[in-house]
Amino acid sequence: MSHDHDGNTTYTHTTQNKHSISSTMSTTTTTTLVVGATGATGKHVVLQLLQQKQHVRAIARSKQRLLDTLNEISPNDASEEYADFLTVTEAAVLDLSDEELENLCSGCDAC
């Protein structure tokens, strides 16, 4: 394991056949907007981001449904454990104006 000047950590693993696999994992915190957060893929994306202590802005028709879904797929009580990292906007994405979507994306590293 090593650190570069940007604070990134590099892990190197050597397998039995002497091939080396390197990956870089950033230690910085990001904010990501997830649309369709209660969907089949969205709920897993939200949980993985939260488990990495990343900030998540989620758009979901029902905040309670999202929290219940996260609690169902998480080994811990996700709604309490990650409360400081999760912001939920209750809305159908098609009902949001362009301005509202722009505001939700503002300050996000990924939308």
Side-chain angles (χ1 to χ4, degrees):
M1 176 173 68
S2 63
H3 301 279
D4 66 14
H5 67 283
D6 292 328
N8 294 322
T9 304
T10 302
Y11 297 92
T12 303
H13 172 73
T14 305
T15 61
Q16 289 179 347
N17 60 7
K18 310 255 187 215
H19 289 97
S20 178
I21 302 170
S22 295
S23 64
T24 301
M25 183 173 70
S26 176
T27 57
T28 59
T29 301
T30 61
T31 301
T32 303
L33 176 65
V34 179
V35 177
T38 56
T41 302
K43 63 187 174 189
H44 293 286
V45 170
V46 169
L47 182 59
Q48 286 183 11
L49 289 167
L50 292 173
Q51 288 172 332
Q52 294 174 22
K53 303 293 189 216
Q54 302 302 312
H55 293 278
V56 176
R57 292 181 190 171
I59 299 175
R61 289 187 195 120
S62 167
K63 178 179 181 175
Q64 190 58 53
R65 180 172 172 222
L66 174 59
L67 297 177
D68 292 344
T69 300
L70 292 175
N71 287 334
E72 288 172 12
I73 65 172
S74 173
N76 305 335
D77 186 1
S79 62
E80 283 190 32
E81 183 175 354
Y82 304 119
D84 293 340
F85 297 94
L86 178 63
T87 303
V88 180
T89 298
E90 278 190 308
V93 71
L94 295 176
D95 292 340
L96 295 172
S97 69
D98 289 346
E99 183 179 338
E100 288 170 316
L101 284 172
E102 285 178 27
N103 288 338
L104 287 169
C105 279
S106 179
C108 287
D109 299 291
C111 295

